[in-house]
Amino acid sequence: MGLYSRRSLILGYTSLVLLSASANAAILPYITREAEYNTECKTCPRVLCPNQLYYGTGDTFNATCWTRGTRIIDGNIWLKSEAGCYVTQYDVTEWEGDYTSDLAYCGKASEERHITEEDATLKYKTECRICPDLTCDNVAYLSEDTDLTLTCWTDQGQLIIDDPYHFKTTNNCYVARKNLYSKPDITYLDYCGPIPLLEPEKHFNENGTSDVNKRDALPAPLPDDMGVQYLINVTVGEEYAYCRSCPEETCKSKKRYQFNQEVWLQCTENFNGTWWSESTDFCWVKNSDFWESPEGDNYKFPTCSLFPGDEDLRSH
Ligand SMILES: *[C@@H]1O[C@H](CO)[C@@H](O)[C@H](O)[C@H]1NC(C)=O
Ligand SMILES: *[C@@H]1O[C@H](CO)[C@@H](O)[C@H](O)[C@H]1NC(C)=O
Ligand SMILES: *[C@@H]1O[C@H](CO)[C@@H](O)[C@H](O)[C@H]1NC(C)=O
Ligand SMILES: *[C@@H]1O[C@H](CO)[C@@H](O)[C@H](O)[C@H]1NC(C)=O
């Protein structure tokens, strides 16, 4: 090969590079975005994927490529942040252009969902919350014996009696470990990562437009007194406290607690002027039998009859 032909080869290669560069001129190396709400940056572009980190409202990040994931309200496009994790485009300030032509595609492999799963069953009435703290709103009220599939764990949740561990379920909400029959083996589960305060108004499934079971539609408006479900511990302040099959003095005694015995309660309710609580033995004790006042001392302690299966309590 002569000198001339070698040079023309090099020139040809150079013009090819220039040509492809101009064809892709619209593709930007990154697009800076601002989080419109607290938003989770996930290890894969699905709401059930664990969090790598989160962006608070107003935080900015550089989106380097786009991919497809869980549909959130009006689209299934997720952005990969320069940190290497994925954010739904729905949670960030709107981009005038089109991510799919203005950014590179992250590649087929980025669309895969990698999550861990483990079965568990609830022992007590439980609230499944959008984030694992009492300040977070409920997504679902679950009765005892509900079967769940857990996807990840956190030790950064609300302390329930003595246990801060919570699990995210496949319904995309968190339950307390204290409310399960047994402690799941967390060595088989992912860590959920850092979890921001999330609000259903900003992270719900408006008109059912998001993927099923990912961001659920808001439940029917809840009564104001329906707070967060959690277990509390109280102590018997009478010589004996009878735990009855229903919330009335005439109901059969199922169990007798002793003076100063510690009792865990699931919920409370006022029946005809008298407050009763359902204990973790699934029987009823008058609140006046305890040193504490479960109906008044505890932030948002819930009403029993609002749980599925307990609606007919008032007819006792
Ligand atoms: C985005 O990347 C540019 C260029 O590297 C950098 O100057 C800027 O600080 C980055 N923005 C954010 C929010 O990280
Ligand atoms: C029950 O609550 C009291 C405070 O009211 C606390 O001192 C005690 O450690 C709790 N017991 C358990 C087992 O968490
Ligand atoms: C949901 O439905 C309402 C009423 O039809 C409509 O105004 C609203 O835009 C819808 N939202 C979405 C995200 O489709
Ligand atoms: C409520 O209390 C009143 C009197 O205090 C009693 O007459 C009535 O039978 C009670 N109702 C129920 C449902 O217990």
Side-chain angles (χ1 to χ4, degrees):
M1 199 186 283
L3 188 67
Y4 176 79
S5 59
R6 187 172 292 174
R7 177 180 296 175
S8 77
L9 243 175
I10 290 166
L11 282 175
Y13 175 71
T14 309
S15 56
L16 198 75
V17 168
L18 286 174
L19 194 75
S20 67
S22 68
N24 289 343
I27 292 193
L28 305 167
Y30 63 86
I31 298 177
T32 307
R33 294 289 75 201
E34 182 181 321
E36 245 183 294
Y37 333 107
N38 288 350
T39 188
E40 298 160 303
C41 197
K42 297 180 165 292
T43 56
C44 44
R46 314 275 166 167
V47 287
L48 293 184
C49 300
N51 297 345
Q52 183 173 317
L53 50 90
Y54 67 80
Y55 296 110
T57 306
D59 285 354
T60 55
F61 65 93
N62 285 334
T64 57
C65 60
W66 67 271
T67 189
R68 299 182 194 88
T70 304
R71 180 183 180 83
I72 305 292
I73 314 286
D74 57 0
N76 65 349
I77 300 299
W78 289 61
L79 304 170
K80 188 175 188 178
S81 129
E82 76 268 80
C85 50
Y86 300 86
V87 172
T88 166
Q89 58 83 30
Y90 183 75
D91 286 354
V92 305
T93 46
E94 209 159 311
W95 172 245
E96 292 303 325
D98 177 353
Y99 290 120
T100 64
S101 50
D102 301 343
L103 276 181
Y105 171 50
C106 304
K108 197 77 197 153
S110 71
E111 295 189 19
E112 280 165 28
R113 183 176 89 162
H114 301 282
I115 62 165
T116 52
E117 294 191 355
E118 195 168 325
D119 292 337
T121 305
L122 288 175
K123 188 171 181 190
Y124 306 120
K125 295 178 175 60
T126 302
E127 187 195 52
C128 201
R129 276 167 277 159
I130 187 169
C131 40
D133 192 273
L134 289 192
T135 56
C136 302
D137 287 322
N138 67 294
V139 171
Y141 292 99
L142 306 173
S143 300
E144 56 269 24
D145 294 324
T146 301
D147 291 324
L148 304 170
T149 303
L150 313 176
T151 63
C152 64
W153 61 274
T154 180
D155 55 357
Q156 301 295 307
Q158 183 77 37
L159 192 67
I160 303 296
I161 312 269
D162 57 359
D163 188 350
Y165 280 74
H166 285 66
F167 294 92
K168 184 167 175 165
T169 75
T170 44
N171 283 326
N172 198 26
C173 54
Y174 295 84
V175 295
R177 180 168 73 178
K178 203 72 185 172
N179 290 42
L180 300 172
Y181 272 107
S182 56
K183 287 186 179 179
D185 186 347
I186 62 172
T187 57
Y188 296 108
L189 285 175
D190 286 331
Y191 180 58
C192 298
I195 304 158
L197 177 70
L198 300 171
E199 298 164 274
E201 308 87 82
K202 293 168 183 131
H203 296 95
F204 75 121
N205 180 359
E206 196 175 347
N207 304 341
T209 43
S210 301
D211 287 349
V212 178
N213 271 353
K214 300 307 184 289
R215 285 188 175 182
D216 273 349
L218 272 184
L222 295 158
D224 284 347
D225 67 340
M226 190 59 214
V228 181
Q229 167 64 5
Y230 56 109
L231 302 176
I232 60 168
N233 83 18
V234 292
T235 323
V236 175
E238 300 288 332
E239 194 173 351
Y240 295 113
Y242 291 95
C243 198
R244 301 182 182 280
S245 59
C246 53
E248 261 178 63
E249 294 281 8
T250 51
C251 297
K252 199 167 132 260
S253 169
K254 285 177 74 180
K255 214 162 177 129
R256 194 174 72 167
Y257 300 128
Q258 293 173 11
F259 182 70
N260 269 349
Q261 185 176 340
E262 196 176 272
V263 177
W264 294 355
L265 304 179
Q266 302 188 62
C267 55
T268 194
E269 180 123 25
N270 189 313
F271 293 96
N272 205 11
T274 306
W275 284 94
W276 294 78
S277 292
E278 186 175 14
S279 81
T280 50
D281 294 313
F282 292 93
C283 51
W284 297 84
V285 190
K286 272 191 303 186
N287 285 6
S288 57
D289 287 346
F290 299 115
W291 287 113
E292 302 83 358
S293 305
E295 75 279 15
D297 293 349
N298 293 278
Y299 171 67
K300 287 178 161 186
F301 196 48
T303 302
C304 302
S305 60
L306 294 169
F307 278 87
D310 274 10
E311 301 93 338
D312 57 348
L313 276 173
R314 288 188 179 278
S315 57
H316 272 291

